[in-house]
Amino acid sequence: MSWPARIALGQRFEVQTTWANAGVAPCYEGGFWSLTFKDDKGGIVASFTDESFDFSALKPAPPEQAPTQTLNSRFTLALPHVDPRGTFAPATRSGTYQVFVSVGQRDGTPRFQLPLPDGDQHRRYRLGQVVVTGASPN
């Protein structure tokens, strides 16, 4: 998974992920990947789900033979004054946040345990951090 080191509020940013099912069974229930930003107290600041790919489509195979699916997902961090009924996530403030990944429901609720370290006990896995800055001038 890759994402920008810095993200400006109100600006679209891209996250690239590559997925494989290195197992023995398909993901029968399906699911969607989610990106979550948490503050230093572990509170969820923003959460995004990419509904463009259902994990039920990943074919299982041994790790060295599993086909991969690469996704280029685009999200926008909402400005504090943006109407939350719009197309943006809830308003976010500038700061440094921890980046987590999960797979689960369309609303971002994690359902599946992933083979990744640094889990948060809720099936989200910490991958690094991101700095969120004030809005860029247009």
Side-chain angles (χ1 to χ4, degrees):
M1 183 169 151
S2 64
W3 64 91
R6 299 177 76 79
I7 298 170
L9 289 169
Q11 300 298 309
R12 191 168 282 266
F13 65 96
E14 186 170 303
V15 178
Q16 185 176 71
T17 57
T18 301
W19 300 92
N21 183 351
V24 296
C27 182
Y28 292 114
E29 297 178 37
F32 305 91
W33 89 270
S34 292
L35 173 71
T36 302
F37 294 164
K38 290 187 176 188
D39 62 21
D40 58 357
K41 295 177 184 170
I44 294 175
V45 174
S47 183
F48 309 91
T49 301
D50 182 345
E51 297 182 65
S52 71
F53 179 76
D54 188 334
F55 278 59
S56 64
L58 281 175
K59 304 294 183 213
E64 63 279 353
Q65 299 171 8
T68 60
Q69 175 72 38
T70 298
L71 303 173
N72 292 304
S73 309
R74 291 184 178 94
F75 306 112
T76 303
L77 279 168
L79 294 166
H81 67 276
V82 173
D83 183 347
R85 294 172 293 172
T87 59
F88 299 108
T92 306
R93 307 264 182 244
S94 297
T96 300
Y97 299 109
Q98 301 306 305
V99 175
F100 288 77
V101 66
S102 62
V103 176
Q105 298 174 353
R106 291 178 191 274
D107 68 0
T109 302
R111 291 177 54 200
F112 301 105
Q113 188 171 0
L114 301 177
L116 297 171
D118 212 3
D120 71 351
Q121 305 301 315
H122 299 284
R123 298 186 181 122
R124 291 183 187 92
Y125 301 87
R126 184 185 173 285
L127 297 181
Q129 67 181 26
V130 65
V131 175
V132 174
T133 63
S136 298
N138 290 336

